[in-house]
Amino acid sequence: MATTDAAAHDGIRAEASQGTVVNFGFWLYLMSDVIIFSMLFVAFVNLSTNYAQGPTGQELFELPLVFIETMALLISSLTYGLVMICLRQGNTKWVQGWLLITFLLGVGFVGLELYEFLHLAFEGYGPQRSAFLSSFFTLVGTHGTHVTFGLIWILVMVGQVAYKGLTPAVASRLTRLSLFWHFLDIVWIAVFSTVYLGGMYR
Amino acid sequence: MLGRLSLQAIPYDNVIIMSAVALMAITGAVVVGATTYYGQWGYLYREWLTSVDHTKIGIMYIILAFVFLLRGFVDAAMMRAQQATAGPGQSGYLSSEHFAELFTGHGTMMILFVAMPLIIGMINLAVPPQIGARDVAFPFLNSVSLWLTYAGGMLIMVSMALGQFGTAGWTGYTPFSEQAFTPSTGVDYWIWAIQISGIGTTLTGVNFLVTILRERAPGMTLMRMPIFTWSALITMVLVVLAFPALTVALGMLSLDRFFDFHFFTGDMGGNQMMYINMFWIWGHPEVYIVILPAFGVFSEVTATFCNKRLFGYKTMVYALAVIAFMSFGVWVHHFFTMGQDALRNSIFAIATMIIGIPTGVKIYNWMATMFRARIEFKQPMLWTLGFILLFTIGGMTGVMLAIPGIDYKAHNSEFLVAHFHNVLIPGTIFGMFAGYTYWFPKAFGFRLDEKWGRHAFWGWSIGFTVAFMPLYVLGAMGMPRRMASYSNPEWTPLLWVAALGAVIVMYGIVCQIIQLISSIRNRHRLADLTGDPWGGRTLEWAMSSPPAEYNFPVIPRVHGIDAFMDMKENGTAYQRPAEYGDIHMPQNTAAGLILGIAAFVFGFGLIWYIWWLAILAGLVMMGAVIWRSCTDDVEFTIPADEVKHIEDERFRKIALASQQTDVIDSESRGRVNIDGEPLSPG
């Protein structure tokens, strides 16, 4: 075992696999996030008819608004895909450009969600009104918080690309941000189907 | 400005609490004073607080656990004293409110701030070297996890002096833990202590999963990993799957408490039962999270001190996996009495009983390993034997409780208290003590004194038996758990016996403290020069004690189970490489410490409704994460010359040890091969 062979092997392994090791770790983190969302979905489904004489989803949800929200997020996933393509081509400018467009779409999504939340709260249908609304605000809000953190992360990465260029470390972080962003998209599809469509067509 | 925090929050009028606070303050002042007096702040900061080295992080976890073991034990002793003196016509010396804080704090601390840090500490010490790695996959994340755990622990400490701790039990069942019933700070302290440390634990889970799956030395296939590493791997799967469930349950409870949401409230559509389900979706796997690593330790210890390959390696692995898998399917047995139909109860009862099968497989494997072996009765082996005997009793009472009919009688009685202490103390605590005495020389370079270790073992074993066997009887006599006072005179004598048991356990703990002090004083006599004081079989014993920062100067190549024993048998164990190379290691960083402190302040701000402080701390946390995520250069290089220098020193020590073989043989076995012949140093 005690040969320079092993030492060389060790060195190569460390160099080549560091990125994949971190990505693997990030996947596992996302799995723990899946559990978090699963629990929130379970809570929502469990409480979704506990209106406490309050309004139902059918009375509250505005599908056109949610549709625009959904489109903003789905398209932002597409534009993040373009970030990754430009990253592979080494096109710093367009990496930044698509990152910013993704950011704007994300801001649009969060903005519409905030509008919806505030609108409901002002009408007296805040999370305190019933268990149904508590679980609605928590599930949708947790997703929105994730998107918000994703937005901060995008800004950080725009800065890193500007200052450091597309170094291997930066590229590796962009890859994980991509995983995160697509993950939120998938979760949103579940939210959209369970909460909004399920609520409207109960 | 300070939310609901005011000078009235300090419980001045309670003599017991104030003397505990005074003791805490004095201890703190002594530590701070001594560090200042000896000018060690710089050393402490550079070498420990900012360290990302897995050995040091492991040691810091274990220190936290031992501090909380003392606190948790004091709580237990106080409860025993209360119940012994609170019989008919007497009220004991505690208020029922204080008693409730004690059982809540005791459970919370013992599970989350003793068992968990002990386990994660042992895993940190032993797993990276067992798989031939230099460190964990994410050393910085490891430091974050550590300091988040400390942050949670410190919140519990603060709860003693400012405000109060939870009174809703360590499970925090709703609706009692809701704002309407417990408006004071207690439940909030409980929530944030667990929440913050729990997030640290989830990160540890991710970290060690990646470490074990991706950082193994060449040749170390999954089925060649030491059993302790296997138990760590499976435990970490449970951690990653179970802890987020706790995060969500606690998150919802805090939304209920802070913002008047209605997840678990009694009105407005809340569902109290949902909390109990969600809590045990974490809580049940959690009991396996704290027991499986102990099973791993027992396997290592049994093989080492029987000087034999572990019997049934593969069945051991499968048993671990089956136990882990099933642990998610039995949570309902925690509330058989809460009104599900009989079919549902039956399904979960049968599932619960089936877990006994793989557990039995493991016990038989350990016994088969011992069969016809020349067992060496060193401290780790003693703890293992004590475990096998006592844990089997606990396991059987567990199967009894799994029968819904019996559970209807025994639920929430002292029988239940006896049962879970009967599995957790011989299982987890004895397991971790076995690991502590087993790996102590690896971490510090000297062994722990045998004599005091034996005293500690007998104190704990006899004390445990005297303290908890009466509780089975009391449970059968109908005594509910968590009673601050009672009116049945028949219970009093047995409660005095139980209190006596606590005193005997205290003897064991005192012996452990004496053992540690005396071992430090005699560290030259107890020195482990070879790095292999027990004749170990796995790779961690191939390093020096204490290990160099890089663990292995050259990553070993593995050819089978018990890799180091293989090397010793082939005579390749102490060979020197032709040359050394530069080694890259992660740099120390303050970011983990800063995150931990900020998390503590964040929790404190929320508990007292000091919103600006919580927001500020949240921003600091975010800033620290962003700062760290922008840092590219996180490694430093240990040049080949320095590696050679360190290794030269190591081989000098080994040569020295072989000259003293006679001396060492009289105390431990020294390095001998499987036939009992001394090995020549490389």
Side-chain angles (χ1 to χ4, degrees):
Chain A
M1 58 112 202
T3 57
T4 43
D5 218 36
H9 174 89
D10 175 44
I12 291 163
R13 207 168 56 115
E15 285 292 314
S17 66
Q18 195 48 40
T20 57
V21 165
V22 185
N23 286 345
F24 179 46
F26 197 75
W27 268 108
L28 288 175
Y29 152 73
L30 287 181
M31 291 305 108
S32 79
D33 234 9
V34 167
I35 306 284
I36 287 189
F37 279 110
S38 311
M39 298 289 284
L40 292 172
F41 273 108
V42 166
F44 177 80
V45 171
N46 190 9
L47 301 176
S48 59
T49 51
N50 295 12
Y51 304 120
Q53 279 88 47
T56 65
Q58 222 159 359
E59 292 158 29
L60 293 180
F61 299 148
E62 293 171 42
L63 273 194
L65 183 82
V66 184
F67 179 74
I68 299 170
E69 249 183 285
T70 307
M71 280 303 130
L73 199 64
L74 292 189
I75 293 169
S76 81
S77 233
L78 176 73
T79 54
Y80 202 99
L82 294 171
V83 171
M84 293 308 285
I85 289 175
C86 295
L87 174 68
R88 237 152 259 161
Q89 292 168 346
N91 190 336
T92 313
K93 250 197 192 119
W94 274 107
V95 166
Q96 283 172 309
W98 287 120
L99 272 176
L100 281 174
I101 292 168
T102 311
F103 177 81
L104 290 177
L105 286 164
V107 168
F109 172 84
V110 174
L112 286 173
E113 192 165 87
L114 273 181
Y115 165 77
E116 185 193 20
F117 277 12
L118 291 176
H119 181 70
L120 285 176
F122 279 128
E123 297 209 332
Y125 305 132
Q128 292 85 3
R129 179 62 192 80
S130 68
F132 153 65
L133 282 167
S134 295
S135 60
F136 163 78
F137 274 90
T138 308
L139 172 57
V140 178
T142 304
H143 177 268
T145 312
H146 273 72
V147 176
T148 310
F149 282 120
L151 292 175
I152 297 171
W153 193 357
I154 291 179
L155 283 187
V156 171
M157 289 321 295
V158 170
Q160 287 198 15
V161 173
Y163 278 96
K164 301 180 182 191
L166 301 176
T167 63
V170 170
S172 154
R173 283 168 202 146
L174 284 172
T175 311
R176 283 188 293 286
L177 178 54
S178 144
L179 285 177
F180 187 68
W181 202 254
H182 296 313
F183 167 75
L184 291 179
D185 218 31
I186 295 168
V187 174
W188 179 255
I189 290 168
V191 171
F192 179 75
S193 330
T194 314
V195 176
Y196 292 103
L197 293 184
M200 287 305 280
Y201 304 106
R202 183 171 294 286
Chain B
M1 188 66 179
L2 287 177
R4 53 176 171 170
L5 178 62
S6 69
L7 285 176
Q8 275 83 49
I10 304 171
Y12 299 108
D13 47 340
N14 190 322
V15 183
I16 299 165
I17 293 180
M18 276 301 108
S19 42
V21 170
L23 186 70
M24 201 164 77
I26 291 168
T27 316
V30 167
V31 171
V32 170
T35 315
T36 314
Y37 181 78
Y38 292 107
Q40 295 296 311
W41 283 111
Y43 166 77
L44 200 64
Y45 179 79
R46 279 190 309 274
E47 297 293 322
W48 290 89
L49 304 184
T50 57
S51 177
V52 294
D53 180 75
H54 69 91
T55 308
K56 286 178 176 165
I57 287 179
I59 292 170
M60 286 188 279
Y61 265 116
I62 293 169
I63 291 173
L64 178 79
F66 276 115
V67 170
F68 273 95
L69 181 70
L70 290 179
R71 247 209 86 177
F73 175 75
V74 170
D75 285 0
M78 285 171 76
M79 284 188 283
R80 282 281 134 259
Q82 167 72 10
Q83 288 198 327
T85 57
Q90 297 163 301
S91 60
Y93 67 109
L94 294 173
S95 66
S96 57
E97 185 83 357
H98 193 173
F99 189 79
E101 277 184 72
L102 285 179
F103 66 64
T104 305
H106 174 76
T108 308
M109 283 188 268
M110 286 300 197
I111 299 279
L112 288 147
F113 295 97
V114 178
M116 291 307 291
L118 273 176
I119 283 157
I120 296 173
M122 295 294 161
I123 289 174
N124 259 299
L125 282 184
V127 163
Q130 279 199 333
I131 58 172
R134 294 220 158 108
D135 206 326
V136 297
F138 308 117
F140 163 66
L141 197 65
N142 208 10
S143 151
V144 173
S145 299
L146 172 79
W147 292 114
L148 289 179
T149 308
Y150 265 80
M154 290 310 114
L155 282 177
I156 294 191
M157 286 299 189
V158 168
S159 77
M160 194 150 64
L162 286 175
Q164 62 167 94
F165 198 63
T167 50
W170 81 278
T171 49
Y173 273 12
T174 52
F176 186 65
S177 52
E178 291 283 356
Q179 192 75 18
F181 298 94
T182 43
S184 64
T185 54
V187 176
D188 297 319
Y189 268 117
W190 173 81
I191 287 176
W192 292 103
I194 304 183
Q195 188 70 296
I196 291 170
S197 68
I199 289 167
T201 307
T202 309
L203 297 177
T204 301
V206 171
N207 204 344
F208 274 93
L209 275 182
V210 180
T211 304
I212 296 172
L213 292 175
R214 297 302 302 264
E215 303 283 303
R216 278 168 289 138
M220 169 123 354
T221 59
L222 283 176
M223 274 309 192
R224 285 177 182 172
M225 292 195 312
I227 289 286
F228 181 69
T229 300
W230 258 114
S231 72
L233 176 69
I234 288 173
T235 304
M236 292 304 149
V237 172
L238 290 184
V239 163
V240 172
L241 295 177
F243 266 81
L246 176 69
T247 304
V248 173
L250 291 176
M252 289 176 178
L253 184 60
S254 22
L255 287 172
D256 275 8
R257 287 182 63 86
F258 282 89
F259 302 116
D260 195 25
F261 280 37
H262 298 286
F263 282 108
F264 312 124
T265 53
D267 57 353
M268 304 298 276
N271 185 340
Q272 299 140 51
M273 207 54 222
M274 191 170 79
Y275 174 82
I276 295 165
N277 272 297
M278 288 188 157
F279 181 86
W280 287 112
I281 284 173
W282 163 76
H284 198 79
E286 168 69 8
V287 309
Y288 292 94
I289 290 170
V290 298
I291 198 81
L292 292 183
F295 287 174
V297 175
F298 293 131
S299 303
E300 301 293 338
V301 165
T302 307
T304 302
F305 291 92
C306 294
N307 203 10
K308 266 169 88 175
R309 179 164 285 202
L310 187 73
F311 182 88
Y313 172 89
K314 279 193 178 168
T315 51
M316 222 54 164
V317 172
Y318 295 137
L320 282 169
V322 169
I323 293 172
F325 179 76
M326 297 214 60
S327 73
F328 280 100
V330 302
W331 81 95
V332 171
H333 72 218
H334 293 270
F335 39 90
F336 277 154
T337 57
M338 290 198 199
Q340 311 75 286
D341 52 76
L343 175 68
R344 208 167 308 187
N345 275 355
S346 308
I347 291 169
F348 284 93
I350 293 166
T352 304
M353 290 177 213
I354 289 175
I355 291 193
I357 297 171
T359 313
V361 165
K362 303 178 84 61
I363 303 243
Y364 284 121
N365 277 344
W366 291 315
M367 284 162 56
T369 310
M370 283 182 241
F371 181 64
R372 290 196 169 161
R374 229 180 301 146
I375 305 174
E376 287 177 276
F377 294 98
K378 300 272 184 201
Q379 305 169 65
M381 195 62 206
L382 280 183
W383 291 112
T384 305
L385 291 170
F387 150 78
I388 291 179
L389 208 66
L390 295 173
F391 182 85
T392 308
I393 301 170
M396 286 191 289
T397 59
V399 176
M400 287 169 72
L401 284 170
I403 301 165
I406 293 182
D407 190 65
Y408 270 78
K409 288 300 281 183
H411 190 82
N412 265 351
S413 78
E414 290 287 344
F415 190 91
L416 181 85
V417 176
H419 159 67
F420 67 69
H421 285 88
N422 200 168
V423 280
L424 282 175
I425 293 178
T428 303
I429 295 296
F430 282 21
M432 291 304 118
F433 287 165
Y436 164 67
T437 45
Y438 183 61
W439 282 307
F440 188 91
K442 180 47 66 192
F444 293 101
F446 59 95
R447 281 165 294 136
L448 284 164
D449 184 89
E450 277 288 328
K451 188 185 82 183
W452 287 109
R454 275 160 209 278
H455 283 267
F457 168 73
W458 289 112
W460 269 95
S461 302
I462 296 171
F464 161 79
T465 311
V466 176
F468 289 99
M469 293 306 143
L471 299 193
Y472 280 121
V473 182
L474 283 164
M477 289 162 76
M479 181 178 177
R481 72 203 277 210
R482 295 171 172 169
M483 291 196 90
S485 63
Y486 55 91
S487 56
N488 186 342
E490 287 178 8
W491 296 345
T492 310
L494 284 169
L495 286 166
W496 274 102
V497 175
L500 174 69
V503 175
I504 305 175
V505 170
M506 186 172 74
Y507 172 75
I509 293 176
V510 169
C511 289
Q512 284 175 305
I513 296 170
I514 297 174
Q515 178 195 38
L516 184 63
I517 295 169
S518 113
S519 306
I520 293 172
R521 292 176 64 170
N522 295 317
R523 61 189 175 280
H524 295 298
R525 184 171 62 76
L526 295 167
D528 163 30
L529 298 173
T530 61
D532 182 21
W534 316 115
R537 312 178 69 79
T538 41
L539 279 176
E540 75 267 34
W541 306 108
M543 317 183 295
S544 57
S545 297
E549 219 169 340
Y550 47 77
N551 289 351
F552 303 96
V554 175
I555 298 295
R557 193 170 281 276
V558 177
H559 300 286
I561 304 171
D562 292 349
F564 186 49
M565 192 45 95
D566 268 3
M567 291 176 192
K568 286 195 276 192
E569 284 168 12
N570 300 334
T572 55
Y574 293 94
Q575 274 179 359
R576 302 194 64 159
E579 55 177 319
Y580 293 104
D582 294 351
I583 294 175
H584 304 283
M585 292 303 290
Q587 267 170 7
N588 287 357
T589 168
L593 182 64
I594 292 170
L595 266 170
I597 293 172
F600 168 81
V601 175
F602 177 74
F604 187 81
L606 288 174
I607 288 162
W608 291 99
Y609 300 173
I610 312 174
W611 307 116
W612 63 267
L613 190 64
I615 292 169
L616 189 70
L619 289 176
V620 170
M621 280 194 276
M622 207 149 78
V625 171
I626 291 175
W627 167 50
R628 174 72 192 185
S629 71
C630 294
T631 317
D632 285 334
D633 187 23
V634 293
E635 292 199 329
F636 73 104
T637 304
I638 306 175
D641 284 349
E642 201 184 324
V643 175
K644 182 167 182 304
H645 180 74
I646 295 171
E647 293 300 306
D648 283 348
E649 177 63 16
R650 173 178 168 229
F651 279 97
R652 196 186 60 78
K653 271 177 43 192
I654 294 174
L656 190 71
S658 72
Q659 285 163 15
Q660 303 172 343
T661 305
D662 296 339
V663 186
I664 288 172
D665 268 346
S666 66
E667 289 185 61
S668 78
R669 288 184 324 118
R671 299 178 302 106
V672 291
N673 69 15
I674 199 156
D675 301 319
E677 292 157 2
L679 283 168
S680 53

